[in-house]
Amino acid sequence: RADVKMENKQLRMWDLKLSDAGIYTCKSSSHEVRISLHIFKLTVSLDGHFLQNEVPELILMQNSSSPLPNLKITLFNSNNNKVIPELQSKTHQKYIVNLKKLEATDSGTWLCQVRSDSPLINQNISFVIKVLGFQNPDLERKYATVDSTVILSWHLNSQKIKWKEGFTGQLNWKQQEGANAHELLDFKVTAQGELHETKKSSNFLFEIPERNAEIIIEVKLPKVYFNHSGQYQCQLEYQGRHVQSKIELVVMKVSANPDGPLSRGANMTLTCQVSGPLPPNAYLRWERVNGTTMDVKNSRQREIKLEVNISAAGLWSCHLIEDNDRKISLHYHVEEAPVWISYVIIGASVAGSLLVFALGCLCIISGISWQRRMQRRKRMAQARQYLLENKTCQCQQ
């Protein structure tokens, strides 16, 4: 692992080891030159291949013939931002530090600066970190309306970091926390970066869109139902380790009671409902298009159902607003009943009232007639009784 160039008196060494540290002497006639060789070794855990949210461990070791100096270590990430590590243990020969939890954007070449005042040391050691994970937020929330089409996507950064080793994963869905999970699809990525997907569920209506150049796990719901809401979790597995990313799908629906045309002078209740809890900065709003401020009603914080009683026909809209931004809107057209229907309804009401009045009068008349007949029968019975009593008296005389 060494050779000597005699013309310029150079000793060239390669594949250095910690044991190569020491004092090297060059003698020529009466001249003697002594050089102290100080060697550093930086080791990155898991060979520099990490999943998202994992914590790398760095081990820096040094060796020299002289007393080992006290080192100052400074780290810079792939974006050339200074990183403050957590020191786990320290001796003069071995330094062990932990980094923060990694994100997908941390992939790249890092720099470890090693400094010492005595002896004077100023050494930069570069190392590569590859982080396999999702470019999605940690917990993404997506909104959809009933009967709409929605695509849920998870972007992987495997091609960006040129990840050669294959990994596998799966996509699960459950309606709420603690419920049973349903596996929708399995996938795997070969060492050549090719994605292979297998549909697992036959009861859940979804499609797998065609892939583009990037590695994207996608699920397409061509027609969203209210019970399609819930947590969709995509999970990666590599060498027995896991990382996952969730998308929370919140679905909105609207309804009316009664659901027919709105007659003049009548009322109707419009209901807007979402399938899951809303964040504190989100709320529901009912409003009539081209209406007034009197036609606007907002939900309270964390309220997932909003009702509004209306007496005016027209186009009513329910909005889901988050951070003053309309995420989704669903419209309900309230039709006004034709005038003749109103007249028919009024006529039917009047006719019904008259019919009830007539029936009441008939019942009263019938009752009076029945009472008179009963009284007449009673008087006739009394008369017959009187006559019988009179005949009996005449016979006795």
Side-chain angles (χ1 to χ4, degrees):
R1 295 183 294 115
D3 60 14
V4 178
K5 293 184 177 181
M6 297 303 297
E7 61 273 13
N8 51 13
K9 307 298 187 294
Q10 286 185 348
L11 173 64
R12 185 170 67 93
M13 305 175 64
W14 59 89
D15 194 16
L16 292 174
K17 301 178 181 179
L18 285 173
S19 57
D20 292 329
I23 297 177
Y24 290 77
T25 304
C26 178
K27 295 181 179 180
S28 176
S29 301
S30 60
H31 296 282
E32 182 176 305
V33 178
R34 295 164 62 88
I35 296 178
S36 176
L37 179 61
H38 196 120
I39 295 181
F40 297 99
K41 180 181 179 181
L42 180 65
T43 304
V44 184
S45 60
L46 299 176
D47 197 27
H49 287 68
F50 299 95
L51 295 180
Q52 203 169 355
N53 295 325
E54 288 185 331
V55 177
E57 181 184 76
L58 303 182
I59 300 176
L60 179 66
M61 300 186 68
Q62 63 172 335
N63 192 18
S64 68
S65 59
S66 57
L68 295 173
N70 190 22
L71 300 178
K72 180 182 178 182
I73 300 174
T74 306
L75 294 175
F76 295 88
N77 62 14
S78 58
N79 298 317
N80 202 29
N81 296 323
K82 187 176 180 180
V83 177
I84 300 176
E86 179 184 352
L87 184 63
Q88 291 295 103
S89 64
K90 170 185 175 182
T91 63
H92 283 301
Q93 186 177 17
K94 188 176 183 180
Y95 295 76
I96 302 178
V97 297
N98 287 341
L99 303 181
K100 64 178 180 65
K101 289 184 177 181
L102 293 174
E103 301 176 1
T105 54
D106 289 326
S107 296
T109 302
W110 289 51
L111 188 66
C112 176
Q113 287 185 350
V114 182
R115 300 289 185 268
S116 173
D117 295 331
S118 179
L120 185 61
I121 298 175
N122 187 356
Q123 185 70 34
N124 292 335
I125 305 174
S126 62
F127 59 98
V128 175
I129 285 183
K130 292 186 177 183
V131 185
L132 177 63
F134 302 93
Q135 297 175 239
N136 303 55
D138 288 339
L139 177 58
E140 186 176 354
R141 184 177 287 104
K142 196 174 185 66
Y143 298 111
T145 57
V146 169
D147 295 334
S148 65
T149 299
V150 65
I151 296 179
L152 307 178
S153 303
W154 288 264
H155 295 252
L156 304 179
N157 66 333
S158 58
Q159 285 191 339
K160 183 179 294 186
I161 62 177
K162 295 181 172 58
W163 190 282
K164 297 299 183 183
E165 296 82 354
F167 53 89
T168 61
Q170 61 183 14
L171 178 62
N172 301 321
W173 165 71
K174 55 184 177 181
Q175 281 196 287
Q176 57 188 3
E177 194 70 38
N180 294 329
H182 304 276
E183 187 176 355
L184 300 184
L185 61 90
D186 284 343
F187 62 89
K188 63 179 179 180
V189 178
T190 64
Q192 291 74 30
E194 298 177 351
L195 176 65
H196 298 280
E197 297 163 306
T198 304
K199 191 172 182 178
K200 302 294 288 187
S201 175
S202 58
N203 300 324
F204 192 86
L205 182 61
F206 71 98
E207 302 173 4
I208 303 176
E210 292 187 7
R211 298 185 300 272
N212 51 22
E214 298 181 2
I215 294 185
I216 301 177
I217 308 300
E218 287 185 330
V219 164
K220 179 181 179 181
L221 308 179
K223 187 176 182 180
V224 176
Y225 294 96
F226 196 69
N227 60 359
H228 283 166
S229 61
Q231 299 177 359
Y232 293 78
Q233 176 176 283
C234 190
Q235 178 176 279
L236 294 178
E237 179 178 352
Y238 177 70
Q239 294 184 349
R241 293 133 54 200
H242 300 84
V243 64
Q244 55 274 333
S245 175
K246 292 181 181 179
I247 295 180
E248 182 81 19
L249 179 62
V250 180
V251 182
M252 174 194 285
K253 67 177 181 180
V254 296
S255 59
N257 184 26
D259 57 358
L262 182 62
S263 302
R264 182 177 298 178
N267 290 328
M268 177 184 290
T269 301
L270 299 179
T271 302
C272 181
Q273 184 177 356
V274 291
S275 58
L278 296 176
N281 56 342
Y283 60 93
L284 300 174
R285 170 183 290 174
W286 268 116
E287 66 180 12
R288 185 163 68 100
V289 178
N290 297 327
T292 65
T293 56
M294 300 296 293
D295 299 323
V296 177
K297 183 178 180 181
N298 295 333
S299 66
R300 294 187 296 269
Q301 190 178 36
R302 297 187 181 277
E303 191 174 30
I304 64 173
K305 186 177 181 180
L306 179 62
E307 294 182 346
V308 59
N309 293 320
I310 66 169
S311 57
L315 183 62
W316 288 80
S317 298
C318 181
H319 309 291
L320 195 156
I321 302 175
E322 183 178 355
D323 289 332
N324 297 321
D325 180 27
R326 291 184 182 180
K327 295 297 184 180
I328 50 173
S329 299
L330 198 54
H331 308 291
Y332 193 92
H333 184 65
V334 180
E335 296 182 355
E336 185 175 4
V339 177
W340 66 269
I341 292 181
S342 300
Y343 291 153
V344 168
I345 293 175
I346 294 173
S349 300
V350 172
S353 301
L354 292 175
L355 180 61
V356 170
F357 178 74
L359 289 175
C361 292
L362 182 61
C363 290
I364 292 173
I365 294 172
S366 298
I368 293 173
S369 178
W370 178 80
Q371 187 176 13
R372 288 177 176 175
R373 286 196 300 269
M374 293 299 295
Q375 289 177 351
R376 189 180 300 114
R377 289 177 184 175
K378 186 176 181 180
R379 287 196 298 270
M380 292 177 66
Q382 290 176 350
R384 282 194 296 269
Q385 183 68 26
Y386 176 76
L387 292 173
L388 288 173
E389 289 177 353
N390 288 338
K391 288 179 181 181
T392 303
C393 292
Q394 290 174 1
C395 291
Q396 288 178 352
Q397 291 177 356

